[in-house]
């Protein structure tokens, strides 16, 4: 068994969120919080697509499957009412996520079905979105800053 911890650090001011990890560094512009901006949700979907791509390539290698490329179309349906602070019963998360995976390969249909089943079994983001994962959220206060 190989258990690894993946971590990142983020810092936000009024207009930008900066994120840094061992392999990534990027920023999300958040200047207008009143405007419906979905960059943070697009990053989640992009991470999901990247994970399907990486696992898909690993599985193809394991199967000695000739995989030239993969196109992934991903769409998420979300009701933003709760996020906007409205008192609704709907969830604040995605109601549905649709993925269309288009591999360019010479593999037959039975191999492609097995390949896709393996991706679903081995993709950690697919697993996290499909199943409940404990999340520990802790809030701390920085007492070194002077508050006016």
């Amino acid at each position: 068994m190989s258990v690894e911890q993946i971590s990142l650090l983020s810092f936000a001011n009024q207009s930008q969120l900066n994120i840094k990890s061992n392999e990534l560094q990027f920023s999300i512009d958040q200047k207008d919080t009143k405007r419906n901006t979905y960059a943070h949700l697009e990053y989640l979907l992009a991470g999901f697509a990247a994970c399907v791509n990486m696992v898909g390539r690993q599985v193809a290698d394991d199967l000695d499957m000739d995989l030239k490329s993969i196109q992934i179309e991903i769409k998420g349906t979300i009701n933003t009412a709760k996020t906007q602070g409205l008192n609704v019963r709907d969830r604040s998360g995605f109601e549905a996520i649709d993925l269309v995976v288009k591999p360019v390969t010479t593999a037959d249909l039975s191999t492609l079905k097995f390949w896709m089943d393996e991706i679903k079994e081995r993709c950690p983001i697919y697993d996290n979105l499909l199943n409940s994962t404990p999340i520990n959220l802790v809030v701390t206060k920085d007492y070194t800053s002077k508050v006016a």
Side-chain angles (χ1 to χ4, degrees), residues 31-65:
K31 288 182 183 160
D32 187 1
T33 57
K34 297 293 181 196
R35 196 186 87 206
N36 283 341
T37 178
Y38 303 114
H40 54 293
L41 300 170
E42 291 168 351
Y43 274 104
L44 178 82
L45 295 178
F48 190 13
C51 192
V52 168
N53 176 64
M54 182 64 74
V55 173
R57 292 189 176 283
Q58 289 173 345
V59 172
D61 285 346
D62 293 348
L63 298 175
D64 289 326
M65 185 175 119

Side-chain angles (χ1 to χ4, degrees), residues 22-107:
N22 287 336
E23 296 188 30
L24 298 172
Q25 184 170 339
F26 58 92
S27 298
I28 300 174
D29 184 10
Q30 298 180 315
K31 288 182 183 160
D32 187 1
T33 57
K34 297 293 181 196
R35 196 186 87 206
N36 283 341
T37 178
Y38 303 114
H40 54 293
L41 300 170
E42 291 168 351
Y43 274 104
L44 178 82
L45 295 178
F48 190 13
C51 192
V52 168
N53 176 64
M54 182 64 74
V55 173
R57 292 189 176 283
Q58 289 173 345
V59 172
D61 285 346
D62 293 348
L63 298 175
D64 289 326
M65 185 175 119
D66 178 32
L67 181 62
K68 293 173 181 52
S69 66
I70 305 173
Q71 178 179 325
I72 300 169
E73 298 173 10
I74 187 165
K75 294 178 184 176
T77 304
I78 190 165
N79 181 342
T80 60
K82 186 166 275 193
T83 304
Q84 294 169 356
L86 300 176
N87 188 12
V88 296
R89 290 181 177 229
D90 293 347
R91 303 175 49 216
S92 61
F94 285 106
E95 295 173 0
I97 298 174
D98 298 311
L99 245 70
V100 177
V101 180
K102 299 178 181 179
V104 175
T105 181
T106 57

